[in-house]
Amino acid sequence: MCNFCVMTDAQEGVTIGADGQCNCCRDAIVRMPTEWWPNQEGERRMQALVQQLKREGEGKPYDALVGLSGGVDSAYLAHLMASQGLRLLAVHVDAGWNSEPAVHNIEKLVRALDLDLFTYVVEWSEMRDTQLAFLRAGVINQDFPQDHAFFATLIRLARQFGVRNFLTGVNFSSESLNVPHDSPSSTDGSHVRAVHKAFGTEELKTYPIMSMVEYLWMTKVRGTPRRIRPLDYINYNKETAQQELASIYGWRDYGPKHSESRFTKFYQDIYLPRKFGIDKRRLHLSSLIVAGQLTREAALDELSHPPIDEESARRDFRFVAKKLGITEAELTDMVEAPPRSHSEFASAKATTESLLKLRAGFRRMLPRSNSRSSG
């Protein structure tokens, strides 16, 4: 185990150096000065951002898009940016797994802030079939189908409304650690198609699949939508934010991080520990340690307890099996089957990396080219 945070080298991609510190928190600490500004610099950046968004939103129905999941990060972001006078279009993708508190939180926030809300409801039979395909595949990222549906919907909404900027609740203080991996990006529609082709049974007619060419063209070439992380411009503390949301909007707690989705809760509390031996809490707790918002001793104390008690695990397991229309025995077989790598299924990962390297090369050449032309 790392002697600074609580990551362990039992997880692939985590290494412990000779000094006892892991590569994940070491990298986060190096990045912190250039990714998080909980000070006057953050205030300056926030003011400049608000002015820019209002300027770019002139003549358009909205200044920016904001994702709204019912979780604390996205809720506080909407609260924070609406208080700056921005015209926001809240975007929610309903994949069929919203917890009751998450639905409550979205309704309360949208009404109180008078936000327009665009909800895309994924056809359940297709969502179910895609998720079952990923479970049968036995890969590590079981949130891939939900995440891809959100990104695809977001890209198309940005194009539909001509809104360039997307405000995301992703933040350094609670999500700074990354574990190196070779899995494809959740924006990779070809990977969704490959897994579904191998294990799916229904034709995907309405499930929003986005090719990497579409994603790269929109985000890297046209710059739409540009992802912005405003919570990195403030001294964001999840517990304090939760208390503020509760006092103003009657916001309700839904449990551990990302548990606003019943499936994600199953994935983090049951699937990852049983199939891959990964306790996702280590990543979250270690990020808070890096941010100075949690002591290592407090993190170790939390980890001394299981992520979920046996009765709750049985209830969640039963719920997921029933929701997916399979028996508990079938779901057990999927969880206990040998894990497989995402690399066993086709993706656009290699092509994407090549295109990004080519783009970076062109950018490096551009100043020299301009210099020669002006000469």
Side-chain angles (χ1 to χ4, degrees):
M1 186 187 298
C2 177
N3 61 14
F4 182 86
C5 67
V6 290
M7 296 298 290
T8 74
D9 59 8
Q11 182 171 348
E12 185 177 357
V14 180
T15 59
I16 309 295
D19 60 354
Q21 188 174 4
C22 75
N23 56 324
C24 300
C25 70
R26 182 186 293 109
D27 173 69
I29 292 169
V30 170
R31 291 176 8 243
M32 183 157 55
T34 59
E35 293 189 15
W36 188 30
W37 303 273
N39 46 36
Q40 289 185 341
E41 172 61 16
E43 294 177 9
R44 184 193 69 77
R45 286 173 179 264
M46 179 66 81
Q47 292 175 0
L49 171 62
V50 171
Q51 292 173 2
Q52 176 188 351
L53 293 177
K54 289 182 177 180
R55 184 171 61 252
E56 293 181 354
E58 290 180 2
K60 299 177 181 178
Y62 306 104
D63 298 317
L65 305 175
V66 60
L68 204 57
S69 66
V72 59
D73 298 335
S74 63
Y76 193 80
L77 173 66
H79 157 74
L80 175 68
M81 302 312 285
S83 69
Q84 302 287 335
L86 293 174
R87 297 167 303 143
L88 305 174
L89 173 62
V91 181
H92 177 70
V93 175
D94 184 354
W97 295 97
N98 288 338
S99 66
E100 192 278 328
V103 174
H104 166 88
N105 293 339
I106 292 173
E107 291 178 350
K108 284 285 188 178
L109 205 69
V110 167
R111 289 177 181 174
L113 296 176
D114 194 25
L115 297 179
D116 286 348
L117 172 66
F118 181 93
T119 298
Y120 182 80
V121 180
V122 183
E123 178 65 38
W124 171 242
S125 63
E126 295 185 19
M127 188 72 214
R128 167 188 172 275
D129 197 55
T130 306
Q131 289 187 297
L132 280 173
F134 271 77
L135 282 168
R136 291 174 182 132
V139 292
I140 190 170
N141 187 359
Q142 290 298 321
D143 263 344
F144 208 108
Q146 292 188 101
D147 291 344
H148 184 81
F150 176 77
F151 286 124
T153 300
L154 178 67
I155 292 290
R156 290 161 190 177
L157 271 181
R159 184 167 52 200
Q160 176 182 341
F161 289 101
V163 180
R164 182 183 179 188
N165 300 295
F166 166 59
L167 310 181
T168 172
V170 174
N171 62 90
F172 185 91
S173 67
S174 66
E175 300 172 299
S176 63
L177 265 70
N178 299 307
V179 179
H181 62 84
D182 293 325
S183 303
S185 165
S186 296
T187 55
D188 191 341
S190 61
H191 191 61
V192 176
R193 290 189 185 280
V195 173
H196 184 265
K197 182 179 180 180
F199 296 102
T201 60
E202 291 192 17
E203 182 181 357
L204 300 184
K205 296 179 179 179
T206 62
Y207 176 87
I209 294 185
M210 169 181 60
S211 70
M212 283 303 296
V213 171
E214 179 184 359
Y215 174 74
L216 293 174
W217 172 257
M218 290 296 294
T219 61
K220 303 301 182 182
V221 179
R222 295 188 60 185
T224 304
R226 181 174 61 132
R227 291 182 62 180
I228 305 170
R229 297 167 43 161
L231 296 183
D232 288 340
Y233 299 161
I234 65 173
N235 188 16
Y236 181 64
N237 182 293
K238 188 181 291 286
E239 287 192 10
T240 303
Q242 185 171 327
Q243 293 169 4
E244 187 173 345
L245 290 171
S247 64
I248 298 175
Y249 305 103
W251 188 90
R252 288 167 52 184
D253 186 18
Y254 47 80
K257 186 176 178 65
H258 296 316
S259 293
E260 61 268 30
S261 163
R262 294 289 299 272
F263 184 83
T264 299
K265 185 175 187 299
F266 159 81
Y267 165 54
Q268 294 187 163
D269 291 349
I270 300 173
Y271 182 88
L272 281 177
R274 292 189 187 179
K275 195 177 189 74
F276 290 90
I278 294 175
D279 188 337
K280 195 70 178 289
R281 292 179 301 170
R282 291 187 181 277
L283 204 60
H284 302 153
L285 295 171
S286 294
S287 293
L288 295 177
I289 292 172
V290 168
Q293 296 179 358
L294 186 73
T295 66
R296 187 170 184 271
E297 290 70 26
L300 289 171
D301 179 64
E302 180 167 339
L303 290 170
S304 67
H305 307 283
I308 187 171
D309 63 81
E310 292 185 8
E311 178 56 34
S312 296
R314 283 193 293 269
R315 183 177 63 248
D316 288 355
F317 200 91
R318 186 166 54 246
F319 175 84
V320 170
K322 184 177 181 179
K323 179 79 173 177
L324 290 173
I326 58 177
T327 66
E328 291 182 53
E330 288 176 297
L331 184 57
T332 298
D333 288 342
M334 294 177 192
V335 173
E336 295 182 353
R340 299 176 68 178
S341 170
H342 283 275
S343 63
E344 296 182 44
F345 304 93
S347 74
K349 186 173 184 294
T351 303
T352 301
E353 291 175 348
S354 297
L355 289 174
L356 291 177
K357 287 180 181 178
L358 184 62
R359 174 174 173 266
F362 277 129
R363 283 190 164 184
R364 286 193 296 269
M365 292 168 61
L366 190 58
R368 293 194 294 271
S369 176
N370 286 344
S371 177
R372 288 193 296 270
S373 299
S374 62

